[in-house]
Amino acid sequence: MKNIVILGSTGSIGTQTVDVVKRHPERFNVIGLAAHRNIETLAQQIEEVKPQVVVVTDKDKALELASQGIKNVEIAAGLEGLEELAAHPGADLVLNALVGSVGLKSTLAALRSGKTLALANKESMVAGGAIVNRVREETGAEILPVDSEHNAIFQCMIGELKDEVKRIIITASGGPFRGKAFEELKAVTVAQALAHPRWTMGPKITIDSATLMNKGLEVIEARWLFDMPYEKLDVVVHPQSIIHSMVEFEDGSIKAHLGQTDMRIPIQYAISYPERLQSPLPSLDFAELRMLTFEEPDVKNFRCLQYAYDAIKLGRTYPAVLNAANEEAVEAFLNGAIAFTDIPRIIHSVMDMHNGADETDLGILLEAEAKARSDARLIIKAIH
């Protein structure tokens, strides 16, 4: 029996994790859940998996949940509760499915406590990859990727030597606007951007997918997760999303991971690793698929991916600044304050204003992030 904490339990990854856990009650025991404001879903999850403790980061919502008279569970409030839950002494594995760089401190808390970390919060590695890797090395804690692309790379790397990797090929669906020119993107609505052709995800990651920033963040995440230079990290657009990523080795061999476009597969593998448990999903029907296609990513019209490569080349605090500016811009777009094409413009402007600093110092890193958010908000205000 594996004792699990799920951070971000009411989001897309969190709810699918609970679904996997419910299918294998003989394998998993949930001892902690954390959510931001969605106490309706959280109350249902408490009833289903019966955790010992829950954290609600919105303090008003935590009081509202406590007033419902839920028994046999400790309810904590605030962001500080996330770090305490991530380091819970009874946890064997912490799944971090928080959205945004708010997940970095929880990632560090889990690793410092020696927990196995199933990581779905890519911003932890994008903003603080150098610090996360240092803590991972110091504690010997293990990180198991949950993102379908990084989970695929992880599986392709099993039994292989890192020095024999020629390149990692991260696949991208291309998003809902694949093939459109920058001018055509100016009129994109929030509803259109949230209509992803292949994956069902939360709003922030769906917008990131539409701008190709999600792929940029994944490149940066892969650089730290697999300790690979950016020159060995390629992106290819694969609209069918059947191949989740590939690894090419020095002898020309390429290993690919294929599967249904369902996040419960990588989630289940991450929390059951190294075992493989049964899945209710149907097998791939290759005769029905007929063909798999590939093309170059369009960084001319979808500039976020290029800015992510620029950030990782510049190094230091630039990836954290890129991520912070993107989070502010995406939130503004979702709120109707800016146009879809303003997202890359804001990121580029904030990066232009930044002077890189030491990314291995958490205090400096957080200062750079805060400044980037402030700069982004000023630009958004000027646009609005």
mmCIF file of all heavy atoms in Angstrom, residues 213-231:
data_model
loop_
_atom_site.group_PDB
_atom_site.id
_atom_site.type_symbol
_atom_site.label_atom_id
_atom_site.label_comp_id
_atom_site.label_asym_id
_atom_site.label_seq_id
_atom_site.Cartn_x
_atom_site.Cartn_y
_atom_site.Cartn_z
ATOM 1 N N MET A 213 3.502 27.941 -25.876
ATOM 2 C CA MET A 213 4.335 28.147 -24.692
ATOM 3 C C MET A 213 4.452 26.852 -23.880
ATOM 4 O O MET A 213 5.494 26.585 -23.274
ATOM 5 C CB MET A 213 3.766 29.269 -23.825
ATOM 6 C CG MET A 213 4.528 29.467 -22.509
ATOM 7 S SD MET A 213 6.308 29.776 -22.762
ATOM 8 C CE MET A 213 6.312 31.560 -22.959
ATOM 9 N N ASN A 214 3.376 26.058 -23.882
ATOM 10 C CA ASN A 214 3.444 24.804 -23.137
ATOM 11 C C ASN A 214 4.624 23.960 -23.611
ATOM 12 O O ASN A 214 5.332 23.349 -22.805
ATOM 13 C CB ASN A 214 2.135 24.028 -23.297
ATOM 14 C CG ASN A 214 2.093 22.795 -22.417
ATOM 15 O OD1 ASN A 214 2.372 22.873 -21.227
ATOM 16 N ND2 ASN A 214 1.787 21.652 -23.000
ATOM 17 N N LYS A 215 4.853 23.958 -24.914
ATOM 18 C CA LYS A 215 5.983 23.169 -25.431
ATOM 19 C C LYS A 215 7.310 23.804 -25.020
ATOM 20 O O LYS A 215 8.292 23.103 -24.745
ATOM 21 C CB LYS A 215 5.856 23.070 -26.954
ATOM 22 C CG LYS A 215 6.339 21.781 -27.553
ATOM 23 C CD LYS A 215 5.873 20.530 -26.859
ATOM 24 C CE LYS A 215 4.387 20.415 -26.696
ATOM 25 N NZ LYS A 215 3.991 19.157 -25.992
ATOM 26 N N GLY A 216 7.333 25.126 -24.992
ATOM 27 C CA GLY A 216 8.545 25.801 -24.527
ATOM 28 C C GLY A 216 8.853 25.476 -23.076
ATOM 29 O O GLY A 216 10.007 25.204 -22.709
ATOM 30 N N LEU A 217 7.812 25.493 -22.243
ATOM 31 C CA LEU A 217 8.011 25.155 -20.834
ATOM 32 C C LEU A 217 8.473 23.703 -20.706
ATOM 33 O O LEU A 217 9.305 23.377 -19.850
ATOM 34 C CB LEU A 217 6.712 25.374 -20.049
ATOM 35 C CG LEU A 217 6.155 26.805 -20.025
ATOM 36 C CD1 LEU A 217 4.854 26.856 -19.219
ATOM 37 C CD2 LEU A 217 7.167 27.788 -19.445
ATOM 38 N N GLU A 218 7.948 22.835 -21.564
ATOM 39 C CA GLU A 218 8.348 21.423 -21.509
ATOM 40 C C GLU A 218 9.806 21.234 -21.923
ATOM 41 O O GLU A 218 10.491 20.347 -21.402
ATOM 42 C CB GLU A 218 7.423 20.586 -22.387
ATOM 43 C CG GLU A 218 6.031 20.420 -21.781
ATOM 44 C CD GLU A 218 5.063 19.715 -22.682
ATOM 45 O OE1 GLU A 218 5.448 19.352 -23.808
ATOM 46 O OE2 GLU A 218 3.905 19.532 -22.272
ATOM 47 N N VAL A 219 10.281 22.043 -22.863
ATOM 48 C CA VAL A 219 11.699 21.973 -23.241
ATOM 49 C C VAL A 219 12.576 22.335 -22.041
ATOM 50 O O VAL A 219 13.557 21.649 -21.727
ATOM 51 C CB VAL A 219 11.989 22.917 -24.431
ATOM 52 C CG1 VAL A 219 13.495 23.061 -24.650
ATOM 53 C CG2 VAL A 219 11.330 22.394 -25.701
ATOM 54 N N ILE A 220 12.211 23.412 -21.362
ATOM 55 C CA ILE A 220 12.990 23.828 -20.187
ATOM 56 C C ILE A 220 12.905 22.777 -19.087
ATOM 57 O O ILE A 220 13.900 22.445 -18.434
ATOM 58 C CB ILE A 220 12.497 25.201 -19.680
ATOM 59 C CG1 ILE A 220 12.637 26.263 -20.776
ATOM 60 C CG2 ILE A 220 13.280 25.620 -18.438
ATOM 61 C CD1 ILE A 220 11.991 27.605 -20.429
ATOM 62 N N GLU A 221 11.699 22.219 -18.893
ATOM 63 C CA GLU A 221 11.522 21.176 -17.880
ATOM 64 C C GLU A 221 12.393 19.956 -18.201
ATOM 65 O O GLU A 221 13.048 19.394 -17.313
ATOM 66 C CB GLU A 221 10.052 20.759 -17.814
ATOM 67 C CG GLU A 221 9.759 19.717 -16.728
ATOM 68 C CD GLU A 221 8.298 19.279 -16.715
ATOM 69 O OE1 GLU A 221 7.557 19.649 -17.650
ATOM 70 O OE2 GLU A 221 7.918 18.565 -15.785
ATOM 71 N N ALA A 222 12.425 19.570 -19.475
ATOM 72 C CA ALA A 222 13.219 18.404 -19.877
ATOM 73 C C ALA A 222 14.708 18.656 -19.666
ATOM 74 O O ALA A 222 15.466 17.744 -19.309
ATOM 75 C CB ALA A 222 12.951 18.066 -21.336
ATOM 76 N N ARG A 223 15.135 19.908 -19.871
ATOM 77 C CA ARG A 223 16.555 20.229 -19.676
ATOM 78 C C ARG A 223 16.984 19.879 -18.246
ATOM 79 O O ARG A 223 18.062 19.341 -18.013
ATOM 80 C CB ARG A 223 16.769 21.724 -19.971
ATOM 81 C CG ARG A 223 18.216 22.200 -19.806
ATOM 82 C CD ARG A 223 18.412 22.836 -18.451
ATOM 83 N NE ARG A 223 19.791 23.210 -18.200
ATOM 84 C CZ ARG A 223 20.725 22.392 -17.705
ATOM 85 N NH1 ARG A 223 20.438 21.131 -17.456
ATOM 86 N NH2 ARG A 223 21.951 22.804 -17.478
ATOM 87 N N TRP A 224 16.105 20.178 -17.276
ATOM 88 C CA TRP A 224 16.460 19.938 -15.875
ATOM 89 C C TRP A 224 16.127 18.513 -15.434
ATOM 90 O O TRP A 224 16.894 17.892 -14.704
ATOM 91 C CB TRP A 224 15.737 20.943 -14.970
ATOM 92 C CG TRP A 224 16.227 22.340 -15.161
ATOM 93 C CD1 TRP A 224 15.553 23.380 -15.740
ATOM 94 C CD2 TRP A 224 17.519 22.860 -14.808
ATOM 95 N NE1 TRP A 224 16.338 24.511 -15.763
ATOM 96 C CE2 TRP A 224 17.540 24.215 -15.193
ATOM 97 C CE3 TRP A 224 18.650 22.307 -14.205
ATOM 98 C CZ2 TRP A 224 18.658 25.028 -14.989
ATOM 99 C CZ3 TRP A 224 19.756 23.121 -13.998
ATOM 100 C CH2 TRP A 224 19.750 24.453 -14.391
ATOM 101 N N LEU A 225 14.989 17.998 -15.869
ATOM 102 C CA LEU A 225 14.591 16.651 -15.438
ATOM 103 C C LEU A 225 15.601 15.599 -15.881
ATOM 104 O O LEU A 225 15.923 14.668 -15.136
ATOM 105 C CB LEU A 225 13.213 16.295 -16.018
ATOM 106 C CG LEU A 225 11.979 16.706 -15.237
ATOM 107 C CD1 LEU A 225 10.724 16.339 -16.025
ATOM 108 C CD2 LEU A 225 11.943 16.044 -13.866
ATOM 109 N N PHE A 226 16.097 15.750 -17.126
ATOM 110 C CA PHE A 226 16.972 14.728 -17.696
ATOM 111 C C PHE A 226 18.418 15.203 -17.826
ATOM 112 O O PHE A 226 19.239 14.509 -18.428
ATOM 113 C CB PHE A 226 16.409 14.268 -19.056
ATOM 114 C CG PHE A 226 14.991 13.782 -18.944
ATOM 115 C CD1 PHE A 226 13.931 14.556 -19.382
ATOM 116 C CD2 PHE A 226 14.713 12.561 -18.342
ATOM 117 C CE1 PHE A 226 12.612 14.121 -19.247
ATOM 118 C CE2 PHE A 226 13.409 12.112 -18.199
ATOM 119 C CZ PHE A 226 12.361 12.898 -18.647
ATOM 120 N N ASP A 227 18.700 16.386 -17.274
ATOM 121 C CA ASP A 227 20.053 16.943 -17.269
ATOM 122 C C ASP A 227 20.655 16.935 -18.672
ATOM 123 O O ASP A 227 21.744 16.402 -18.906
ATOM 124 C CB ASP A 227 20.944 16.145 -16.291
ATOM 125 C CG ASP A 227 22.276 16.839 -16.040
ATOM 126 O OD1 ASP A 227 22.342 18.064 -16.220
ATOM 127 O OD2 ASP A 227 23.250 16.135 -15.679
ATOM 128 N N MET A 228 19.928 17.523 -19.612
ATOM 129 C CA MET A 228 20.339 17.564 -21.011
ATOM 130 C C MET A 228 20.542 19.008 -21.466
ATOM 131 O O MET A 228 19.743 19.882 -21.100
ATOM 132 C CB MET A 228 19.248 16.950 -21.907
ATOM 133 C CG MET A 228 19.144 15.462 -21.816
ATOM 134 S SD MET A 228 20.499 14.647 -22.681
ATOM 135 C CE MET A 228 20.377 13.003 -21.956
ATOM 136 N N PRO A 229 21.571 19.288 -22.260
ATOM 137 C CA PRO A 229 21.711 20.635 -22.814
ATOM 138 C C PRO A 229 20.590 20.924 -23.809
ATOM 139 O O PRO A 229 20.063 19.993 -24.443
ATOM 140 C CB PRO A 229 23.073 20.592 -23.503
ATOM 141 C CG PRO A 229 23.296 19.148 -23.816
ATOM 142 C CD PRO A 229 22.640 18.377 -22.706
ATOM 143 N N TYR A 230 20.227 22.217 -23.940
ATOM 144 C CA TYR A 230 19.096 22.551 -24.815
ATOM 145 C C TYR A 230 19.357 22.154 -26.271
ATOM 146 O O TYR A 230 18.429 21.924 -27.043
ATOM 147 C CB TYR A 230 18.751 24.045 -24.704
ATOM 148 C CG TYR A 230 19.767 24.978 -25.311
ATOM 149 C CD1 TYR A 230 19.743 25.270 -26.666
ATOM 150 C CD2 TYR A 230 20.756 25.573 -24.517
ATOM 151 C CE1 TYR A 230 20.673 26.126 -27.236
ATOM 152 C CE2 TYR A 230 21.679 26.432 -25.073
ATOM 153 C CZ TYR A 230 21.642 26.711 -26.430
ATOM 154 O OH TYR A 230 22.573 27.549 -26.986
ATOM 155 N N GLU A 231 20.641 22.044 -26.641
ATOM 156 C CA GLU A 231 20.950 21.677 -28.031
ATOM 157 C C GLU A 231 20.460 20.262 -28.364
ATOM 158 O O GLU A 231 20.321 19.898 -29.532
ATOM 159 C CB GLU A 231 22.460 21.734 -28.274
ATOM 160 C CG GLU A 231 23.070 23.135 -28.172
ATOM 161 C CD GLU A 231 23.576 23.435 -26.764
ATOM 162 O OE1 GLU A 231 23.144 22.756 -25.808
ATOM 163 O OE2 GLU A 231 24.405 24.366 -26.635
#
